[in-house]
Amino acid sequence: MTTGGTRLAFLRPRSWPLTTQLIAAVVALFLVLSVGTATFTVLALRGQLLDQIDADVTATLARATGEGAGRPGGPGDGPAGGPGVGPVPGGRGESVTVILDDEGSFLVNRIEHGMTVGQLSSDQLDALDEAHLGSRPRTVDIAGVGDYRVAQATTPTGLTVISGLPMSGVTQVVNTALTLVAGATIVGLALATLVGQWLIRRGLAPLQRVAQTATQVSRLRLDSGDVALAQRVPEADTDARTEAGQVGLALNQMLDNVEGALRSRHESETRVRQFVADASHELRTPLASIRGYAELSRRETAPVPETVAHALTRVESESLRMQGLVEDLLLLARLDAGRPLEREPVDLSLLAVNAVSDAHAASPEHRWELDLPDEPVEVPGDPARLHQVVANLLANARTHTPPGTRVVTSLRREGAWVRLSVTDNGPGVPAELLGSVFERFTRGDAARNRAGGSTGLGLSIVDAVARTHGGRVEVDSAPGRATFSVVLPA
């Protein structure tokens, strides 16, 4: 199918590259002009040669029908014994002469063909008779000798004179002219193709350099970070007086605009990240103080109203939750800032075992299972951050699935990669959230039951840590099943 589609696309000139289209147009134009000129030249040459033969035939008839045409036995008697009618046409070594009296008897029946002089056969005479000759020469195919231009006239004495000259000379000249024209056309076509290709490629070279610049820019990562667009179209290809220069100039202006917009975006993101990092850092101290005072108040031996004790418990609980949120925001800010993580061998198998054990202790109502290979699986990375990745995936399954849900943590090698997956048989991820499930503050509370609080940052931390390790995250969901995977380089 692909080969057929490519073949059909090749048959559509609009799908060809611009260089090929221009070369094909130049070659086609040259071919049309050459064929047209050659046709006109050959036809004109043939017409002129025919006019010359017709003039010779007409002159021969004029001499044959002159004053001496009716004196039989004159000095012009032919070899067949017929009466003379002036000079016998020829002078070229080939001619046809037939003279009949008023009763239709042959006085002269003569044909000169090359070095042979003889008489016309009955078939050849029948061809002349069937041609219905007149005073204007016409072409007659005389069997055995070829085409002749033949005309007929009647003398004042009633004799019928038929005279003709061969067209072999005309055919030879025309064939020679056709050969020369065809050869010249082929040579010219080859030269037009080569020279035209060179000129067109030279003329389109600026556009190719513009395309190369655009291709280089298209391969840059522009989605995050400080982007510097150093690629520009060379100044020599930005001449506004040419079409290619106008394209190059427009591309440079567009790149300047894009670079300015990306710089503004990066500066804005940097300010937001710095604010989040500063705010998170500043909030850690007052939250720790609130939590400490809440714990201290609950330890007082003096009796406190039940409502006050409950309020203090809630203050401590919410301070812990806010402290976790602040820590998550601070971690994301540090990852966004590109701070390097530790790099050491990490045993993912042991890490998964410990994380599942913690998850079982946190939610014994769920069914936690492990699917690990026989050999330990190691990857280079930060042990604490990778442990947080697995813990967040398990916490996501615990938070958004009802009790009794089966959660399987699996680990597999895939060539140069390692895939860590957490699969549950819960309600699944809503289709409208699949594209944004790893974005910050994304929640599926409307579709999934919540067993506890969720900040909406757990999966975004998983994504950020995976990307920092050179990996990626994936999600596959359907009603009754959801699989979250982290793919890391091995």
Side-chain angles (χ1 to χ4, degrees):
M1 293 297 292
T2 304
T3 304
T6 304
R7 194 173 300 165
L8 291 177
F10 179 77
L11 297 177
R12 294 192 296 267
R14 291 185 178 181
S15 64
W16 297 352
L18 181 58
T19 302
T20 305
Q21 292 186 35
L22 292 177
I23 294 175
V26 169
V27 171
L29 180 61
F30 176 83
L31 185 61
V32 170
L33 292 177
S34 298
V35 171
T37 303
T39 302
F40 175 79
T41 302
V42 171
L43 291 178
L45 176 62
R46 183 176 184 276
Q48 185 176 5
L49 294 176
L50 287 179
D51 290 341
Q52 292 179 357
I53 292 180
D54 291 348
D56 292 343
V57 173
T58 303
T60 300
L61 286 178
R63 290 194 299 271
T65 57
E67 294 180 355
R71 295 196 301 269
D77 289 350
V85 291
V88 176
R92 302 187 183 190
E94 295 186 2
S95 63
V96 169
T97 304
V98 177
I99 302 177
L100 299 93
D101 58 16
D102 52 359
E103 295 180 355
S105 300
F106 286 99
L107 301 178
V108 175
N109 179 7
R110 175 188 179 92
I111 180 171
E112 297 183 22
H113 183 66
M115 302 299 293
T116 304
V117 178
Q119 293 183 342
L120 293 168
S121 66
S122 59
D123 292 338
Q124 293 172 337
L125 291 173
D126 291 340
L128 292 177
D129 183 58
E130 293 173 357
H132 304 292
L133 300 174
S135 59
R136 295 186 59 182
R138 63 176 58 186
T139 302
V140 179
D141 182 12
I142 301 178
V145 294
D147 292 338
Y148 273 71
R149 293 291 285 182
V150 185
Q152 175 180 307
T154 302
T155 65
T157 59
L159 298 178
T160 300
V161 180
I162 298 175
S163 179
L165 293 175
M167 290 185 60
S168 57
V170 174
T171 303
Q172 183 179 359
V173 172
V174 170
N175 289 339
T176 303
L178 284 175
T179 302
L180 294 176
V181 167
T185 301
I186 293 174
V187 173
L189 192 61
L191 291 177
T193 302
L194 295 177
V195 176
Q197 184 176 7
W198 179 76
L199 291 175
I200 291 172
R201 291 188 182 278
R202 181 181 179 185
L204 294 180
L207 285 179
Q208 294 178 348
R209 290 191 288 269
V210 170
Q212 290 175 357
T213 302
T215 302
Q216 293 174 359
V217 174
S218 68
R219 293 173 179 170
L220 296 177
R221 290 291 303 273
L222 305 178
D223 54 343
S224 62
D226 186 10
V227 180
L229 295 179
Q231 290 78 5
R232 290 294 186 276
V233 178
E235 185 177 355
D237 298 330
T238 58
D239 189 355
R241 295 172 296 180
T242 64
E243 289 77 4
Q246 293 173 5
V247 175
L249 184 61
L251 180 60
N252 279 351
Q253 293 174 350
M254 183 187 70
L255 291 178
D256 292 338
N257 189 19
V258 170
E259 185 177 23
L262 292 175
R263 187 180 296 112
S264 299
R265 184 210 65 184
H266 176 67
E267 293 174 355
S268 176
E269 290 181 352
T270 302
R271 287 193 296 269
V272 171
R273 290 170 182 169
Q274 187 63 41
F275 170 77
V276 172
D278 294 342
S280 301
H281 183 74
E282 294 298 329
L283 284 173
R284 297 171 75 183
T285 300
L287 285 173
S289 299
I290 293 173
R291 178 185 175 188
Y293 280 115
E295 290 180 354
L296 182 62
S297 299
R298 287 196 302 108
R299 292 176 182 177
E300 285 292 332
T301 56
V304 230
E306 184 178 350
T307 55
V308 175
H310 177 71
L312 291 175
T313 302
R314 294 303 302 156
V315 168
E316 184 180 1
S317 174
E318 291 302 315
S319 65
L320 285 173
R321 182 171 178 269
M322 287 190 64
Q323 190 172 8
L325 174 61
V326 168
E327 294 294 338
D328 288 345
L329 288 174
L330 188 58
L331 174 60
L332 287 173
R334 289 173 177 173
L335 293 175
D336 290 341
R339 295 188 182 182
L341 300 176
E342 295 183 12
R343 303 290 289 184
E344 61 181 72
V346 178
D347 188 347
L348 282 184
S349 300
L350 179 61
L351 191 148
V353 170
N354 293 334
V356 170
S357 177
D358 295 340
H360 178 74
S363 178
E365 298 85 3
H366 287 72
R367 292 187 298 158
W368 305 97
E369 299 181 8
L370 282 168
D371 181 14
L372 304 178
D374 297 334
E375 297 296 329
V377 178
E378 290 188 352
V379 296
D382 188 318
R385 298 285 77 84
L386 291 177
H387 181 275
Q388 189 173 9
V389 164
V390 183
N392 284 4
L393 290 177
L394 295 175
N396 178 73
R398 181 184 71 247
T399 303
H400 297 291
T401 58
T405 301
R406 179 172 175 262
V407 182
V408 180
T409 302
S410 61
L411 196 59
R412 291 288 182 271
R413 286 188 178 272
E414 297 180 353
W417 299 88
V418 173
R419 179 181 293 272
L420 173 67
S421 301
V422 175
T423 304
D424 64 73
N425 60 350
V429 181
E432 61 272 13
L433 293 180
L434 283 176
S436 60
V437 70
F438 290 102
E439 295 181 3
R440 298 173 188 183
F441 299 106
T442 297
R443 295 183 179 180
D445 303 339
R448 287 184 160 196
N449 297 324
R450 292 181 57 186
S454 173
T455 62
L457 293 177
L459 293 181
S460 62
I461 291 177
V462 172
D463 179 40
V465 172
R467 285 190 288 106
T468 305
H469 282 79
R472 65 183 186 275
V473 292
E474 298 176 359
V475 59
D476 181 20
S477 179
R481 182 185 59 82
T483 299
F484 291 84
S485 301
V486 176
V487 183
L488 299 172

